[in-house]
Amino acid sequence: MNGADANAVWGRLRRAGLVEGDAPDKAETHTPWYIRTMLGVAGWIGAMFLLGFFLGAFSLVANSPIVALILGGALVTAAALVFRTWPAGDFAGQFGLAVSIAGQSLVVMGLGQLIPLSDALVALVFAVVQAGLFVLIPNFLHRVLVSASATAAGVYALGIWGFLPYTQPLVFAAFAWVWVHEFSYPRHGAQLRALGYGLTLLVIYGLVVYTATGAWRAMGIGGAIANPVGGAIAFWISNALTGAVMIWLVWKLLARQGVAVAEGAGLAALGGAVLAALIALKAPGLAITVAILLLGFANGNRVLFGLGVLSLPAYWSYYYYSLEITLLQKSALLACAGIALIGARMAVIRRWPAAAGREERDA
C-alpha cells in the first residue's frame, strides 16, 4: 500500500471514529506471535527464578501473608510501570512479564495464608485481581496469561462447589462469544483477542483435564467429581450444553455471513452442527475442536486455525487411550462418528458440487 492509499484508509477510519489524530509517518513493526510466545515462556522461567530468589533470600516472605501481599503488589505495580513506559520493547516486555508473574504468585501465597479455610474464596479473589490486571496492564501477552489464569481460578472455585461438570460448557460458551464478536467492537479488538486466546488455552487444556478426573482429585476437588450438582446425569447435561453451544456458534456464523438458516446451505450447516452435538454427548472434545477450526477459518486467524488443526487429532488420540470406557467401545464410537461425518461431507458434495469445488480451490 502506497502513501496515498494509506492516508485514504486512515481518513476513512478517522471519519468512522475508530482512530484519532494524523496518520502515522510509518507503519509500526510488530513482533511475530511465535517470538511473543517464546518470550512468554522465558517470562515464566524468569518468574520462577525471581520468585525463588525472594523466597530464599527473605524467609519472612514465606511466613508472613501481609509481607507476601505487599511485596507481590509492589512487583505487579513495577511490572505495570515497565509495560506502560516501554510498551514496544521486547526485553522490557519479557522483564515485566517475569516480574508480574512473580508478584502474582506472591499474592496467591498471601491470600492462601490469610484465608486458609476457603480455597474457593481464595480462587475467586485471585480471579478478581487478575481481571483488574487485565484492564490496567496493556501488554497483549500479559493479558492472555491473566485472562487464562483468571478463568482457571473461577473454574477451580466452581469445581469445589460441585459445579465442575458445567465449567467446560461455560468456558466454551465464553470462548465462542468472544471470537464471534471479535470484529463487533473495533475499539476493543486487541482486548477481545487477548481474552479469546486466554480462553482458547483453557478450552484446549480442558479437553484433557475434564476427561482425566485424577487431575481434579490431585487439586483437592475430588468430592465435587463424586457428588456434583445434578448427580449422576451432571456430565451428560454438561456434554449436551457443549453441543448446544456448538449449534449456537454455527447459527451465529451463518448469520454473520448472510446465509439464511432456512435455505439449503444453512440447513446443511446446522445439520452438521447437530451431528457434532450428538457425537459430543460421548466425546465433547469433537464439538470444541471443530469450533476452534471453524472460528479460525471464519475469522481468518491462522494461529487459531492452527490450534484447531493440532487439537483435533490430539484430542482423539488422548480420548482413545483414556480409561472411562473400554477400547472396544471407543473404537466403535470413533468408527461411527467417522462414518457419519464422511457421509455428511459426501452429501454436501453431491448436493452443492460447485460450492465444494470452490472450497477446495480456496484451501
Side-chain angles (χ1 to χ4, degrees):
M1 181 182 294
N2 56 36
D5 293 337
N7 290 331
V9 171
W10 185 268
R12 292 176 59 188
L13 292 173
R14 185 170 56 187
R15 288 191 295 273
L18 301 178
V19 296
E20 297 178 354
D22 297 329
D25 294 332
K26 58 180 180 179
E28 297 181 359
T29 59
H30 297 280
T31 305
W33 66 269
Y34 46 86
I35 295 180
R36 293 200 302 268
T37 302
M38 295 187 66
L39 288 176
V41 174
W44 279 98
I45 297 172
M48 288 188 287
F49 280 106
L50 187 61
L51 184 61
F53 165 76
F54 282 113
L55 294 179
F58 307 101
S59 59
L60 184 62
V61 174
N63 299 324
S64 173
I66 301 300
V67 174
L69 285 173
I70 293 175
L71 182 57
L75 289 176
V76 172
T77 302
L81 291 175
V82 169
F83 284 130
R84 289 188 175 275
T85 305
W86 297 283
D90 290 337
F91 174 78
Q94 178 183 341
F95 177 74
L97 192 64
V99 171
S100 178
I101 294 172
Q104 293 170 45
S105 302
L106 289 172
V107 169
V108 172
M109 290 175 54
L111 290 174
Q113 295 179 57
L114 283 177
I115 321 174
L117 300 179
S118 179
D119 291 343
L121 183 57
V122 171
L124 285 181
V125 173
F126 181 68
V128 172
V129 172
Q130 296 296 85
L133 293 178
F134 182 90
V135 175
L136 295 176
I137 298 181
N139 181 267
F140 182 84
L141 183 57
H142 188 273
R143 279 176 165 161
V144 172
L145 295 178
V146 298
S147 61
S149 58
T151 308
V155 167
Y156 180 73
L158 290 173
I160 292 177
W161 289 331
F163 293 97
L164 175 64
Y166 310 104
T167 54
Q168 185 179 43
L170 183 63
V171 175
F172 181 40
F175 156 84
W177 186 92
V178 168
W179 285 113
V180 165
H181 293 88
E182 177 187 2
F183 307 115
S184 300
Y185 305 97
R187 291 179 180 272
H188 306 286
Q191 293 92 321
L192 282 175
R193 281 186 288 276
L195 177 59
Y197 282 122
L199 292 172
T200 303
L201 294 178
L202 258 294
V203 165
I204 295 175
Y205 176 70
L207 293 176
V208 174
V209 172
Y210 284 101
T211 305
T213 55
W216 291 112
R217 291 192 176 94
M219 295 173 66
I221 56 176
I225 300 172
N227 301 294
V229 175
I233 64 171
F235 284 92
W236 287 100
I237 297 173
S238 170
N239 294 346
L241 291 174
T242 299
V245 173
M246 175 66 186
I247 295 172
W248 173 85
L249 171 63
V250 171
W251 175 69
K252 291 295 291 184
L253 290 177
L254 289 173
R256 196 174 74 178
Q257 296 296 324
V259 178
V261 176
E263 293 181 355
L267 287 175
L270 280 180
V274 171
L275 177 61
L278 291 175
I279 298 174
L281 290 174
K282 285 296 293 181
L286 173 70
I288 293 173
T289 51
V290 169
I292 297 173
L293 280 169
L294 282 176
L295 286 168
F297 182 80
N299 291 8
N301 189 323
R302 287 182 289 182
V303 176
L304 191 61
F305 185 80
L307 290 173
V309 170
L310 293 175
S311 62
L312 183 58
Y315 169 75
W316 281 121
S317 300
Y318 174 80
Y319 179 79
Y320 181 75
Y321 287 106
S322 59
L323 300 176
E324 309 86 23
I325 57 177
T326 66
L327 292 180
L328 179 60
Q329 292 172 313
K330 289 182 179 178
S331 299
L333 173 64
L334 294 176
C336 292
I339 291 171
L341 292 173
I342 292 174
R345 173 60 178 168
M346 292 178 64
V348 169
I349 293 175
R350 184 176 295 274
R351 178 64 178 80
W352 296 284
R358 186 168 59 252
E359 290 175 1
E360 293 175 357
R361 290 194 301 273
D362 292 340

